[in-house]
Amino acid sequence: MTESALSSGKGGQKLGFFARIFLFFRQVIAELKKVVTPTRSELVNYFLVVVGFVIVVMLIVTALDFVFGQGSILLFTKQVEQ
């Protein structure tokens, strides 16, 4: 019987508390063995993409903040007529 069949309880056999914890850790270790470490060039590429994306979002937020700030100043300040 596979681990997933044991954990689902459909086989008529339900795992105990400690058996479920042990099964969880075995599955975590099995998933961690599938992880591939990126190469140096991939890591640099991912880093630059993330930094570029953060800068673009910062510029968008800054522009929106400026526009809404100026709009609120125009809306809520009384203009003196001369």
Side-chain angles (χ1 to χ4, degrees):
M1 197 178 273
T2 64
E3 290 176 351
S4 60
L6 284 174
S7 62
S8 67
K10 291 180 182 177
Q13 175 184 2
K14 188 170 181 179
L15 296 177
F17 178 73
F18 292 108
R20 287 183 292 176
I21 292 175
F22 182 69
L23 176 62
F24 170 75
F25 282 114
R26 279 194 357 217
Q27 290 174 344
V28 167
I29 291 170
E31 288 297 321
L32 285 176
K33 287 180 181 178
K34 297 177 186 177
V35 174
V36 178
T37 305
T39 64
R40 185 174 183 88
S41 63
E42 288 175 334
L43 192 61
V44 169
N45 190 26
Y46 296 155
F47 173 77
L48 293 175
V49 167
V50 169
V51 169
F53 179 76
V54 168
I55 289 172
V56 168
V57 170
M58 284 174 50
L59 292 174
I60 292 170
V61 169
T62 302
L64 289 174
D65 180 50
F66 179 76
V67 168
F68 287 123
Q70 292 300 316
S72 65
I73 288 172
L74 290 173
L75 184 65
F76 294 116
T77 57
K78 185 176 181 180
Q79 307 238 340
V80 178
E81 293 183 21
Q82 296 183 5

XYZ file of all heavy atoms in Angstrom:
644
model
N 0.840 -1.172 0.000
C 0.000 0.000 0.000
C 0.891 1.244 0.000
O 1.883 1.300 0.704
C -0.895 -0.027 1.250
C -2.071 0.901 1.146
S -3.129 0.798 2.588
C -4.187 -0.533 2.136
N 0.531 2.244 -0.769
C 1.338 3.454 -0.847
C 1.093 4.349 0.366
O 0.135 4.163 1.123
C 0.992 4.247 -2.121
O -0.356 4.671 -2.030
C 1.218 3.418 -3.358
N 1.968 5.338 0.515
C 1.832 6.239 1.653
C 0.566 7.074 1.559
O -0.088 7.336 2.555
C 3.043 7.168 1.721
C 4.314 6.459 2.111
C 5.512 7.393 2.068
O 5.391 8.514 1.587
O 6.565 6.953 2.540
N 0.196 7.465 0.344
C -1.014 8.275 0.194
C -2.259 7.456 0.521
O -3.222 7.973 1.071
C -1.106 8.854 -1.203
O -1.151 7.814 -2.157
N -2.246 6.179 0.162
C -3.384 5.326 0.483
C -3.478 5.105 1.992
O -4.572 5.044 2.550
C -3.267 3.990 -0.237
N -2.329 4.984 2.644
C -2.352 4.825 4.088
C -2.855 6.087 4.778
O -3.610 6.027 5.739
C -0.945 4.498 4.615
C -0.443 3.085 4.406
C 1.004 2.968 4.848
C -1.303 2.107 5.190
N -2.431 7.244 4.272
C -2.806 8.482 4.925
C -4.266 8.845 4.681
O -4.860 9.570 5.458
C -1.901 9.630 4.471
O -2.055 9.833 3.090
N -4.853 8.374 3.594
C -6.242 8.719 3.310
C -7.221 7.909 4.150
O -8.361 8.311 4.314
C -6.542 8.510 1.825
O -6.479 7.141 1.514
N -6.798 6.775 4.652
C -7.672 5.977 5.503
C -8.683 5.158 4.724
O -9.573 4.570 5.302
N -8.589 5.092 3.407
C -9.557 4.357 2.608
C -9.311 2.847 2.658
O -10.174 2.079 2.313
C -9.527 4.829 1.158
C -10.046 6.222 0.979
C -10.000 6.636 -0.463
C -10.486 8.074 -0.602
N -10.394 8.553 -1.957
N -8.115 2.457 3.074
C -7.790 1.041 3.109
C -8.322 0.340 4.343
O -8.022 -0.814 4.583
N -9.124 1.038 5.146
C -9.672 0.438 6.344
C -8.729 0.542 7.523
O -9.080 0.164 8.627
N -7.535 1.050 7.311
C -6.549 1.159 8.384
C -6.235 2.633 8.572
O -5.797 3.311 7.658
C -5.283 0.390 7.996
C -4.151 0.536 8.981
C -2.896 -0.166 8.476
O -2.890 -0.705 7.390
N -1.863 -0.137 9.264
N -6.481 3.141 9.780
C -6.209 4.539 10.057
C -4.911 4.631 10.841
O -4.681 3.867 11.766
C -7.359 5.150 10.842
C -7.244 6.630 11.001
C -8.499 7.216 11.566
C -8.298 8.721 11.675
N -9.491 9.358 12.193
N -4.074 5.596 10.434
C -2.793 5.762 11.092
C -2.969 6.487 12.410
O -3.825 7.362 12.556
C -1.847 6.563 10.197
C -1.447 5.923 8.879
C -0.579 6.875 8.083
C -0.710 4.622 9.128
N -2.115 6.143 13.360
C -2.133 6.819 14.647
C -1.477 8.178 14.561
O -0.953 8.596 13.522
N -1.506 8.883 15.676
C -0.980 10.242 15.731
C 0.491 10.284 15.379
O 0.920 11.074 14.528
C -1.225 10.815 17.139
C -0.689 12.195 17.321
C -1.314 13.275 16.726
C 0.447 12.417 18.086
C -0.821 14.554 16.889
C 0.943 13.693 18.249
C 0.305 14.761 17.653
N 1.301 9.461 16.015
C 2.740 9.481 15.767
C 3.089 8.937 14.382
O 4.048 9.384 13.757
C 3.487 8.708 16.860
C 3.426 9.393 18.197
C 2.655 8.880 19.221
C 4.110 10.584 18.411
C 2.593 9.524 20.446
C 4.054 11.233 19.630
C 3.291 10.701 20.646
N 2.308 7.994 13.887
C 2.539 7.478 12.539
C 2.277 8.556 11.495
O 3.001 8.655 10.507
C 1.652 6.263 12.286
N 1.258 9.391 11.727
C 0.982 10.488 10.792
C 2.100 11.528 10.826
O 2.474 12.076 9.792
C -0.355 11.134 11.109
C -1.528 10.243 10.697
C -2.822 10.920 10.961
N -2.982 11.011 12.425
C -3.971 11.617 13.038
N -4.907 12.210 12.351
N -4.041 11.641 14.349
N 2.626 11.805 12.008
C 3.746 12.756 12.114
C 4.966 12.204 11.387
O 5.641 12.918 10.639
C 4.061 13.066 13.589
C 2.912 13.854 14.210
C 5.372 13.830 13.725
C 3.057 14.117 15.677
N 5.264 10.921 11.603
C 6.402 10.290 10.939
C 6.219 10.295 9.427
O 7.155 10.583 8.674
C 6.580 8.856 11.465
C 7.755 8.144 10.875
C 9.045 8.538 11.184
C 7.580 7.100 9.990
C 10.136 7.893 10.633
C 8.658 6.456 9.418
C 9.934 6.846 9.753
N 5.000 10.021 8.970
C 4.696 10.043 7.537
C 4.886 11.447 6.970
O 5.438 11.615 5.880
C 3.264 9.568 7.297
C 2.756 9.616 5.854
C 3.590 8.702 4.959
C 1.297 9.236 5.805
N 4.461 12.446 7.727
C 4.626 13.832 7.287
C 6.103 14.152 7.079
O 6.497 14.708 6.052
C 4.005 14.787 8.307
C 4.322 16.228 8.056
C 3.696 16.918 7.032
C 5.261 16.892 8.827
C 3.986 18.247 6.788
C 5.563 18.215 8.589
C 4.929 18.896 7.572
N 6.945 13.808 8.041
C 8.367 14.108 7.920
C 9.017 13.321 6.780
O 9.896 13.830 6.089
C 9.097 13.862 9.250
C 8.880 14.969 10.233
C 8.185 14.754 11.409
C 9.362 16.241 9.979
C 7.987 15.780 12.310
C 9.160 17.281 10.873
C 8.469 17.048 12.045
N 8.584 12.084 6.566
C 9.108 11.316 5.438
C 8.733 11.972 4.116
O 9.548 12.030 3.183
C 8.571 9.880 5.466
C 9.340 9.004 6.417
C 9.094 7.532 6.270
N 8.113 7.103 5.303
C 7.285 6.095 5.466
N 7.297 5.405 6.589
N 6.442 5.760 4.538
N 7.527 12.484 4.013
C 7.102 13.158 2.790
C 7.837 14.484 2.598
O 8.172 14.846 1.471
C 5.595 13.380 2.805
C 4.800 12.093 2.658
C 3.313 12.304 2.814
O 2.864 13.332 3.325
N 2.532 11.310 2.394
N 8.102 15.194 3.699
C 8.857 16.447 3.608
C 10.263 16.170 3.090
O 10.771 16.857 2.193
C 8.908 17.162 4.972
C 9.940 18.278 4.973
C 7.539 17.712 5.327
N 10.906 15.151 3.620
C 12.262 14.800 3.180
C 12.255 14.370 1.713
O 13.139 14.747 0.940
C 12.851 13.705 4.093
C 13.123 14.284 5.485
C 14.123 13.123 3.503
C 13.470 13.257 6.539
N 11.244 13.622 1.316
C 11.146 13.200 -0.088
C 10.982 14.399 -1.006
O 11.569 14.435 -2.096
C 9.978 12.234 -0.263
N 10.209 15.397 -0.588
C 10.043 16.604 -1.412
C 11.328 17.430 -1.442
O 11.670 18.014 -2.463
C 8.883 17.457 -0.890
C 7.517 16.872 -1.148
C 7.201 16.734 -2.620
O 7.562 17.628 -3.393
O 6.591 15.727 -2.998
N 12.037 17.497 -0.330
C 13.280 18.269 -0.293
C 14.360 17.654 -1.179
O 15.236 18.367 -1.665
C 13.786 18.413 1.140
C 13.015 19.403 2.013
C 13.544 19.373 3.436
C 13.101 20.807 1.442
N 14.290 16.347 -1.399
C 15.259 15.706 -2.288
C 15.031 16.095 -3.744
O 15.930 15.987 -4.565
C 15.182 14.184 -2.148
C 15.762 13.688 -0.853
C 15.677 12.180 -0.748
C 16.248 11.701 0.575
N 16.140 10.250 0.725
N 13.828 16.585 -4.068
C 13.514 16.997 -5.427
C 13.975 18.425 -5.728
O 13.945 18.847 -6.875
C 12.009 16.920 -5.665
C 11.422 15.529 -5.546
C 9.925 15.587 -5.728
C 9.276 14.242 -5.461
N 7.814 14.324 -5.572
N 14.366 19.175 -4.702
C 14.743 20.569 -4.883
C 16.052 20.660 -5.652
O 17.009 19.944 -5.364
C 14.880 21.279 -3.515
C 15.419 22.688 -3.681
C 13.543 21.305 -2.802
N 16.087 21.551 -6.645
C 17.283 21.763 -7.447
C 17.851 23.133 -7.098
O 17.146 24.138 -7.156
C 16.953 21.697 -8.953
C 18.180 21.968 -9.793
C 16.342 20.353 -9.295
N 19.123 23.170 -6.735
C 19.767 24.432 -6.411
C 20.098 25.168 -7.701
O 20.685 24.596 -8.613
C 21.065 24.178 -5.623
O 20.766 23.381 -4.473
C 21.704 25.473 -5.175
N 19.722 26.468 -7.792
C 20.000 27.206 -9.029
C 21.500 27.468 -9.185
O 22.233 27.582 -8.204
C 19.237 28.519 -8.839
C 19.054 28.660 -7.376
C 18.991 27.280 -6.826
N 21.924 27.578 -10.435
C 23.322 27.903 -10.696
C 23.553 29.376 -10.372
O 22.611 30.134 -10.147
C 23.673 27.647 -12.171
O 22.894 28.528 -12.982
C 23.409 26.200 -12.564
N 24.807 29.775 -10.378
C 25.144 31.159 -10.049
C 24.520 32.131 -11.049
O 23.975 33.165 -10.663
C 26.664 31.333 -10.004
C 27.094 32.702 -9.550
C 28.615 32.767 -9.390
N 29.046 34.034 -8.905
C 29.156 34.364 -7.629
N 28.852 33.481 -6.705
N 29.575 35.554 -7.276
N 24.568 31.806 -12.331
C 23.998 32.702 -13.337
C 22.475 32.789 -13.196
O 21.893 33.865 -13.377
C 24.380 32.251 -14.733
O 23.843 30.975 -15.006
N 21.818 31.675 -12.901
C 20.373 31.706 -12.682
C 20.034 32.549 -11.453
O 19.076 33.336 -11.473
C 19.828 30.292 -12.476
C 19.806 29.440 -13.715
C 19.374 28.019 -13.440
O 19.558 27.539 -12.299
O 18.852 27.387 -14.373
N 20.813 32.407 -10.405
C 20.580 33.166 -9.183
C 20.738 34.658 -9.424
O 19.913 35.462 -8.969
C 21.540 32.694 -8.088
C 21.260 33.163 -6.674
C 19.900 32.667 -6.218
C 22.346 32.672 -5.745
N 21.775 35.046 -10.164
C 21.974 36.456 -10.492
C 20.811 36.951 -11.356
O 20.291 38.061 -11.136
C 23.333 36.659 -11.207
C 23.443 38.051 -11.799
C 24.474 36.390 -10.244
N 20.385 36.150 -12.313
C 19.266 36.525 -13.170
C 17.988 36.712 -12.358
O 17.270 37.705 -12.533
C 19.058 35.465 -14.250
C 18.074 35.913 -15.300
O 17.896 37.089 -15.526
N 17.427 34.947 -15.916
N 17.670 35.781 -11.470
C 16.476 35.887 -10.628
C 16.559 37.130 -9.747
O 15.570 37.841 -9.559
C 16.312 34.655 -9.745
C 16.065 33.370 -10.493
C 16.398 32.151 -9.928
C 15.507 33.356 -11.764
C 16.179 30.964 -10.600
C 15.290 32.175 -12.446
C 15.630 30.981 -11.853
O 15.407 29.817 -12.526
N 17.747 37.393 -9.200
C 17.949 38.555 -8.339
C 17.675 39.845 -9.109
O 16.973 40.734 -8.632
C 19.372 38.553 -7.777
C 19.711 39.798 -7.009
C 19.244 39.977 -5.728
C 20.500 40.782 -7.576
C 19.543 41.122 -5.013
C 20.807 41.925 -6.883
C 20.334 42.102 -5.593
N 18.210 39.950 -10.320
C 18.022 41.157 -11.115
C 16.555 41.339 -11.522
O 16.052 42.469 -11.548
C 18.925 41.127 -12.345
C 20.428 41.212 -12.058
C 21.225 41.060 -13.341
C 20.766 42.507 -11.347
N 15.881 40.257 -11.821
C 14.461 40.341 -12.173
C 13.650 40.849 -10.978
O 12.793 41.727 -11.113
C 13.928 38.972 -12.663
C 12.412 38.959 -12.726
C 14.533 38.622 -14.009
N 13.936 40.331 -9.805
C 13.204 40.750 -8.601
C 13.486 42.215 -8.284
O 12.572 42.990 -7.990
C 13.550 39.839 -7.401
C 13.021 40.418 -6.105
C 13.002 38.444 -7.620
N 14.761 42.628 -8.342
C 15.109 44.018 -8.059
C 14.458 44.947 -9.090
O 13.914 46.003 -8.738
C 16.641 44.205 -8.022
C 17.021 45.671 -8.003
C 17.226 43.501 -6.814
N 14.468 44.561 -10.365
C 13.824 45.362 -11.396
C 12.331 45.497 -11.152
O 11.759 46.593 -11.280
N 11.690 44.402 -10.794
C 10.256 44.433 -10.515
C 9.953 45.332 -9.317
O 8.994 46.123 -9.353
C 9.735 43.018 -10.264
C 8.273 42.959 -9.951
C 7.337 43.100 -10.952
C 7.831 42.776 -8.652
C 5.978 43.056 -10.672
C 6.485 42.735 -8.359
C 5.558 42.871 -9.370
N 10.753 45.246 -8.275
C 10.545 46.080 -7.089
C 10.710 47.555 -7.445
O 9.929 48.404 -6.997
C 11.502 45.659 -5.955
C 11.515 46.677 -4.826
C 11.119 44.288 -5.421
N 11.701 47.892 -8.260
C 11.906 49.288 -8.663
C 10.717 49.796 -9.469
O 10.234 50.919 -9.251
C 13.229 49.433 -9.435
C 14.403 49.261 -8.480
C 13.304 50.769 -10.148
C 15.756 49.195 -9.146
N 10.199 48.985 -10.394
C 9.042 49.394 -11.190
C 7.831 49.632 -10.287
O 7.118 50.641 -10.430
C 8.726 48.350 -12.283
C 7.372 48.593 -12.918
C 9.818 48.335 -13.328
N 7.590 48.742 -9.350
C 6.448 48.906 -8.447
C 6.641 50.145 -7.570
O 5.691 50.891 -7.314
C 6.237 47.631 -7.595
C 5.215 47.871 -6.499
C 5.804 46.482 -8.475
N 7.881 50.399 -7.119
C 8.150 51.603 -6.335
C 7.845 52.859 -7.143
O 7.272 53.824 -6.613
C 9.602 51.624 -5.867
C 9.900 50.703 -4.720
S 11.644 50.602 -4.290
C 12.100 52.299 -4.159
N 8.219 52.882 -8.411
C 7.939 54.039 -9.255
C 6.439 54.243 -9.449
O 5.948 55.383 -9.416
C 8.634 53.888 -10.606
C 10.165 53.963 -10.576
C 10.734 53.643 -11.954
C 10.618 55.333 -10.109
N 5.713 53.163 -9.642
C 4.256 53.263 -9.804
C 3.613 53.798 -8.529
O 2.772 54.711 -8.571
C 3.658 51.901 -10.207
C 4.105 51.524 -11.616
C 2.137 51.910 -10.106
C 3.762 50.102 -12.023
N 4.011 53.268 -7.381
C 3.436 53.719 -6.107
C 3.801 55.173 -5.843
O 2.970 55.964 -5.369
C 3.886 52.797 -4.956
C 3.524 53.378 -3.609
C 3.271 51.419 -5.116
N 5.049 55.561 -6.148
C 5.468 56.949 -5.958
C 4.648 57.882 -6.837
O 4.199 58.948 -6.381
C 6.968 57.093 -6.272
O 7.702 56.226 -5.424
C 7.440 58.507 -6.072
N 4.442 57.513 -8.090
C 3.654 58.351 -9.002
C 2.211 58.477 -8.519
O 1.641 59.576 -8.514
C 3.698 57.774 -10.415
N 1.612 57.362 -8.109
C 0.239 57.413 -7.612
C 0.141 58.250 -6.337
O -0.818 59.008 -6.158
C -0.290 56.000 -7.380
C -0.578 55.182 -8.626
C -0.947 53.744 -8.252
C -1.692 55.814 -9.440
N 1.113 58.120 -5.459
C 1.131 58.911 -4.230
C 1.207 60.396 -4.554
O 0.492 61.215 -3.960
C 2.314 58.492 -3.360
C 2.379 59.272 -2.067
O 1.349 59.353 -1.369
O 3.466 59.810 -1.757
N 2.053 60.765 -5.498
C 2.184 62.167 -5.885
C 0.875 62.689 -6.479
O 0.397 63.770 -6.119
C 3.329 62.346 -6.885
C 3.499 63.755 -7.353
C 4.094 64.702 -6.534
C 3.049 64.139 -8.601
C 4.233 66.012 -6.953
C 3.191 65.437 -9.034
C 3.781 66.383 -8.209
N 0.284 61.915 -7.388
C -0.957 62.345 -8.045
C -2.079 62.501 -7.021
O -2.786 63.520 -7.006
C -1.348 61.353 -9.165
C -2.766 61.603 -9.662
C -0.356 61.430 -10.300
N -2.276 61.519 -6.163
C -3.352 61.606 -5.176
C -3.059 62.681 -4.130
O -3.979 63.333 -3.631
C -3.591 60.251 -4.507
C -4.273 59.264 -5.408
C -3.687 58.039 -5.676
C -5.499 59.552 -5.990
C -4.314 57.121 -6.506
C -6.128 58.653 -6.816
C -5.536 57.429 -7.083
N -1.797 62.882 -3.790
C -1.443 63.954 -2.854
C -1.754 65.315 -3.427
O -2.337 66.171 -2.746
N -1.366 65.551 -4.673
C -1.665 66.827 -5.322
C -3.176 67.010 -5.497
O -3.704 68.111 -5.319
C -0.958 66.924 -6.675
C 0.548 67.020 -6.582
C 0.997 68.243 -5.806
O 0.485 69.336 -5.994
N 1.951 68.040 -4.915
N -3.849 65.934 -5.819
C -5.308 66.008 -5.955
C -5.987 66.355 -4.646
O -6.929 67.161 -4.610
N -5.527 65.774 -3.554
C -6.135 66.086 -2.256
C -5.818 67.514 -1.828
O -6.649 68.179 -1.202
C -5.679 65.091 -1.189
O -4.298 65.218 -0.961
N -4.626 68.005 -2.169
C -4.287 69.395 -1.848
C -5.215 70.332 -2.621
O -5.755 71.297 -2.056
C -2.799 69.676 -2.162
C -1.916 68.984 -1.136
C -2.528 71.183 -2.177
C -0.435 69.035 -1.456
N -5.418 70.069 -3.905
C -6.310 70.909 -4.701
C -7.758 70.819 -4.228
O -8.504 71.802 -4.263
C -6.229 70.520 -6.178
C -4.931 70.870 -6.895
C -4.939 70.280 -8.295
C -4.723 72.367 -6.938
N -8.162 69.647 -3.788
C -9.550 69.429 -3.390
C -9.862 70.041 -2.030
O -10.929 70.615 -1.824
C -9.850 67.929 -3.388
C -11.265 67.500 -3.098
C -12.189 67.981 -4.212
C -11.344 65.994 -2.987
N -8.922 69.942 -1.067
C -9.223 70.314 0.307
C -8.630 71.656 0.747
O -8.827 72.052 1.891
C -8.748 69.224 1.260
C -9.504 67.941 1.097
C -8.862 66.787 0.672
C -10.871 67.871 1.331
C -9.550 65.596 0.510
C -11.565 66.700 1.170
C -10.916 65.560 0.759
N -7.922 72.340 -0.098
C -7.429 73.663 0.283
C -8.281 74.711 -0.395
O -8.724 74.556 -1.532
C -5.954 73.867 -0.115
O -5.801 73.665 -1.516
C -5.055 72.923 0.642
N -8.501 75.793 0.350
C -9.326 76.873 -0.184
C -8.446 77.798 -1.003
O -7.431 78.270 -0.530
C -9.982 77.626 0.972
C -10.941 78.675 0.524
C -11.622 79.299 1.710
C -12.617 80.341 1.207
N -13.311 80.975 2.327
N -8.862 78.043 -2.196
C -8.106 78.937 -3.072
C -8.525 80.369 -2.809
O -9.721 80.672 -2.737
C -8.351 78.553 -4.522
C -8.093 77.087 -4.793
C -7.055 76.886 -5.853
O -6.804 77.793 -6.613
N -6.447 75.725 -5.877
N -7.550 81.216 -2.638
C -7.835 82.627 -2.372
C -8.048 83.347 -3.693
O -7.192 83.275 -4.582
C -6.671 83.274 -1.574
C -6.944 84.750 -1.331
C -6.442 82.516 -0.287
N -9.178 84.030 -3.817
C -9.470 84.786 -5.039
C -8.846 86.170 -4.915
O -8.885 86.794 -3.878
C -10.970 84.925 -5.230
C -11.630 83.611 -5.519
C -13.116 83.784 -5.786
O -13.553 84.879 -6.120
O -13.820 82.784 -5.638
N -8.258 86.660 -5.993
C -7.597 87.962 -5.928
C -8.330 88.991 -6.709
O -8.871 88.974 -7.689
C -6.151 87.855 -6.415
C -5.372 86.968 -5.505
C -3.897 86.902 -5.923
O -3.452 87.576 -6.816
N -3.168 86.045 -5.237
